[in-house]
Amino acid sequence: MPRVLIALPLPKELRAFAAALTEAGVRTHPVEARVEAIEAPALGVLLAASGHGKAQFALTCQHLVEQHGPFEALVVAGASGALSPVLAPGDVVIGTEAVEHDYRTRFHGEGPPPRHVASEELVEAITAAAEAARVHVGPIASGDEDIVEADRARALHASTGALCVAWEGAGGARVAAFNGLPFVEARAVTDRADAEAAGSYRVHLTEAVGNVARALLPWLRARVA
């Protein structure tokens, strides 16, 4: 059975996601790989800590696709900072697209940032199955920049329309497109992308990433039912 690759940036995010699956009664076990990885055989899922930043994340995801596939979809998951004022720590965003806000062209004038559109089928299937009330749907900003100032967060929200911001989504989206895989990004809010972001991230990380797992779990179970 083709599996779903769920790629998370950091090992602590991977472990928080796997712990939430275990709490829900899903058996997991570590997998021998070049990065920390965990398999949930009953769900047809491989979880992997794929690195921080778009470039490292893309490199690792491509390796995983080549060495541990085949996969039927690539899901980028993990933590994020809120850009929309309606979001609170613990909320989950299912991304309709990854907006690569730090990709800037200037030779012939500055153009709009690339937008990597998620699979509509995956977005609809995940949101239809999700049982959590705090699930939102919309764009996610992606770029190798910590957003830790309220003014910068407001400007990014205004320029992209993104609900939240993280680093790696565009890297995962490019790997998915290169390999012809459906792609979606699912992020949980840990902070408000302001001066308190670092402390809030530490406080909310485990529960927030667990919420991503809980939001995806009904869809993952429905796939193999």
Side-chain angles (χ1 to χ4, degrees):
M1 175 182 67
R3 296 176 295 171
V4 170
L5 172 59
I6 300 180
L8 303 101
L10 302 177
K12 57 188 173 184
E13 293 175 288
L14 168 71
R15 295 166 197 157
F17 193 105
L21 293 184
T22 300
E23 290 171 6
V26 177
R27 292 185 178 180
T28 64
H29 62 79
V31 173
E32 185 175 346
R34 293 188 67 179
V35 296
E36 187 171 341
I38 296 172
E39 188 170 26
L43 296 178
V45 166
L46 178 67
L47 309 171
S50 297
H52 191 38
K54 291 183 297 181
Q56 181 61 51
F57 194 85
L59 183 154
T60 302
C61 283
Q62 184 61 36
H63 167 76
L64 291 165
V65 168
E66 293 175 353
Q67 299 299 318
H68 296 273
F71 296 106
E72 65 182 61
L74 193 161
V75 178
V76 176
S80 68
L83 298 179
S84 169
V86 306
L87 297 181
D91 285 3
V92 173
V93 177
I94 307 300
T96 54
E97 56 187 347
V99 186
E100 199 168 356
H101 67 86
D102 64 343
Y103 186 107
R104 304 178 70 180
T105 59
R106 293 184 174 179
F107 280 134
H108 304 290
E110 190 163 338
R115 290 178 176 262
H116 306 279
V117 179
S119 162
E120 291 185 11
E121 182 178 346
L122 286 182
V123 173
E124 292 175 1
I126 291 168
T127 54
E131 299 169 355
R134 294 163 61 184
V135 173
H136 308 261
V137 178
I140 298 175
S142 173
D144 291 351
E145 176 191 355
D146 282 331
I147 309 299
V148 292
E149 297 175 351
D151 288 347
R152 176 72 177 116
R154 283 191 291 268
L156 190 56
H157 179 51
S159 65
T160 64
L163 300 183
C164 65
V165 61
W167 285 47
E168 298 82 13
R174 288 180 180 274
V175 170
F178 186 77
N179 292 279
L181 293 173
F183 157 80
V184 71
E185 186 171 9
R187 294 280 187 169
V189 171
T190 55
D191 58 84
R192 297 188 180 280
D194 57 14
E196 305 301 321
S200 184
Y201 170 85
R202 289 190 291 270
V203 169
H204 296 291
L205 176 68
T206 300
E207 181 65 19
V209 175
N211 284 351
V212 179
R214 287 182 277 271
L216 294 178
L217 187 54
W219 163 67
L220 292 171
R221 282 178 163 155
R223 285 178 46 255
V224 296

